[in-house]
Amino acid sequence: MSDLPAVLGGNPVRPQGPPAWPLADPEVFDALTRAFRDGSWGVYHGPDCAALEQALRDFFQVEHVLLCGSGTCAVELGLRALTVGAGAEVLLAAYDFPGNFLDIHAVGALPVLVDVDAANWNLAVDHLDAAHTPACKAIIASHLHGGLVAMEQLSNWARERGLAVLEDAAQCPGALVQGRPAGTWGDAGVISFGGSKLLSAGRGGALLTHRADVWQRARTHALRGNLVCPLSELQAAVVAPQLRRLTERNARRAANVADLLRLLNGVPGLQPLANPRGLGQPAYYKLGFQYDAAAFGLPREAFIAAVRAEGIALAAGFPAAHVGRSPRRFRQGTPLGEAERAHRGCIVLHHPVLLGTTAEMDEVARAIRKMEEYRDALQGCQIPDKTGGPDDVAAGE
Ligand SMILES: *Cc1c(COP(=O)(O)O)cnc(C)c1O
């Protein structure tokens, strides 16, 4: 009886709901009080942005960092700095953060949509050839939901054809891809300090690059007498202590993911996104799953709503870029069958619970197992999606 799903009148597994984010970090509290005392919360310029840039250069082992107002803005600055503009084409996974598609439009270029890999629903490097034309000037490669893109192969492929690579590591600061920090393989890389991200300042982002010319052009675009999309001193002050804890927290999340996936092993229709062995160590902003409604026996939206009612922050993934859009706004580079499947079947678990205890991993698994057990009873019921909590996915964040 206690195992009845909450949407059918049972007790939710987590009546308190998902864990809060951002964390109540004592170091962030210290940074905030220090910023109040010394007045740096209200100044244009100060040492905090410079200190964060240095800390990011050290952490990522990269020569240049440009802080800015969001990850989305960093992608646009990156494209401009790579001289991608009107008439150019940019290769992009058809399943990706929607802002990347729109950033390509923002610089006057055309997205060329490439299918995603069948096992991890991230950009499929072996499909790039089929989509490539001489008009292609750049590739955006995002590591999504615990999936990783094979950046070494992608970089080699791009170099041979003279394409620039923009690596979107907004979801995985601290991840390792083929021996290098995610975000540092490309001509430019991007991270985000958005309010739901692993490093949070409410808003914010950064462009990373080894190339002085790319950094210089990005800076020129960002500087119009004043900075057009700055990160503030206050934001920099709160990110710095989180960066110092990132490696330890990423390890904690990864260990919990391993536990959770063991507990969920064998649930029909629920497959974790799977990277090729040896590709690297993901970082988990979202833990992504391939959900097969027919195999599980419940429509995706009903499954998500029922699990959310248990107090678990599960959500649908991104919409695919080509679905519901005018075909004039992109070129279809390859068949998009896997992106279509991701559009219909991707499910993500939001990261805060992944810093929890073993008992909390049990809770997540128990909530999902409830739906497996009660799928027939859940069939016909109208499930309102009334779980509050951070707006982690609606805006694609
Ligand atoms: C969140 C996100 C961004 C953009 O970051 P914002 O700071 O929210 O603008 C870009 N790419 C991916 C993959 C993201 O998840």
Side-chain angles (χ1 to χ4, degrees):
M1 198 59 197
S2 67
D3 257 4
L4 202 61
V7 288
L8 297 176
N11 298 320
V13 167
R14 289 182 62 99
Q16 75 278 32
W21 192 263
L23 294 175
D25 245 328
E27 293 93 341
V28 170
F29 181 82
D30 291 345
L32 287 167
T33 48
R34 194 262 302 153
F36 180 77
R37 278 200 306 271
D38 68 13
S40 59
W41 62 273
V43 302
Y44 281 111
H45 300 289
D48 283 295
C49 283
L52 179 60
E53 282 177 356
Q54 185 58 50
L56 290 168
R57 281 193 292 268
D58 293 344
F59 184 88
F60 284 94
Q61 297 288 294
V62 79
E63 277 81 7
H64 307 281
V65 171
L66 183 71
L67 300 175
C68 64
S70 70
T72 304
C73 166
V75 171
E76 181 185 336
L77 283 173
L79 289 171
R80 291 190 191 283
L82 296 168
T83 68
V84 174
E89 291 188 340
V90 179
L91 296 162
L92 177 76
Y95 178 86
D96 197 354
F97 174 68
N100 288 345
F101 182 94
L102 298 171
D103 272 329
I104 295 170
H105 279 237
V107 302
L110 187 72
V112 176
L113 300 181
V114 179
D115 208 5
V116 288
D117 180 80
N120 75 1
W121 281 348
N122 280 229
L123 178 64
V125 176
D126 33 344
H127 291 354
L128 289 170
D129 247 341
H132 176 251
T133 70
C136 293
K137 297 295 179 231
I139 311 174
I140 297 180
S142 307
H143 307 290
L144 298 176
H145 314 332
L148 296 174
V149 178
M151 292 307 295
E152 187 172 2
Q153 286 78 353
L154 183 142
S155 304
N156 291 339
W157 183 89
R159 190 172 327 105
E160 284 162 19
R161 288 156 187 82
L163 273 74
V165 173
L166 196 156
E167 186 183 6
D168 181 348
Q171 296 205 348
C172 59
L176 272 182
V177 185
Q178 296 172 300
R180 290 196 204 171
T184 66
W185 274 97
D187 297 278
V190 164
I191 56 172
S192 164
F193 308 132
S196 62
K197 294 284 155 81
L198 299 181
L199 300 169
S200 296
R203 297 281 172 180
L207 188 70
L208 319 172
T209 180
H210 298 293
R211 288 177 50 181
D213 64 317
V214 169
W215 179 79
Q216 189 56 52
R217 274 195 297 275
R219 231 180 110 68
T220 304
H221 285 294
L223 259 177
R224 291 172 209 162
N226 202 350
L227 282 167
V228 288
C229 53
L231 193 80
S232 72
E233 282 290 290
L234 185 57
Q235 288 170 307
V238 299
V239 170
Q242 297 175 66
L243 183 62
R244 290 194 285 273
R245 304 287 298 274
L246 182 62
T247 300
E248 160 208 334
R249 286 179 178 157
N250 277 345
R252 178 71 182 267
R253 285 185 279 262
N256 270 331
V257 165
D259 276 353
L260 180 57
L261 294 185
R262 258 193 304 277
L263 294 169
L264 291 174
N265 193 19
V267 174
L270 195 69
Q271 280 296 323
L273 301 189
N275 293 313
R277 200 170 276 286
L279 197 57
Q281 175 56 57
Y284 295 96
Y285 166 63
K286 305 283 181 186
L287 174 61
F289 294 90
Q290 303 188 332
Y291 181 76
D292 180 337
F296 191 91
L298 202 58
R300 179 178 67 159
E301 304 320 317
F303 173 73
I304 290 171
V307 174
R308 287 178 75 99
E310 301 295 326
I312 308 295
L314 208 67
F318 298 128
H322 62 295
V323 176
R325 276 220 171 88
S326 160
R328 285 199 305 274
R329 300 190 65 202
F330 60 88
R331 181 164 73 74
Q332 183 176 330
T334 69
L336 300 176
E338 286 300 326
E340 196 89 33
R341 278 184 61 217
H343 173 87
R344 278 185 279 110
C346 191
I347 284 184
V348 294
L349 175 68
H350 195 35
H351 67 84
V353 76
L354 298 176
L355 285 179
T357 59
T358 312
E360 287 178 288
M361 298 311 105
D362 273 327
E363 289 174 352
V364 176
R366 195 142 46 82
I368 289 171
R369 294 278 184 187
K370 271 193 190 185
M371 308 317 151
E372 184 189 353
E373 186 178 346
Y374 284 90
R375 69 185 146 217
D376 294 335
L378 289 164
Q379 243 10 275
C381 74
Q382 288 292 319
I383 298 171
D385 186 355
K386 58 178 171 19
T387 307
D391 179 19
D392 48 316
V393 162
E397 287 176 298

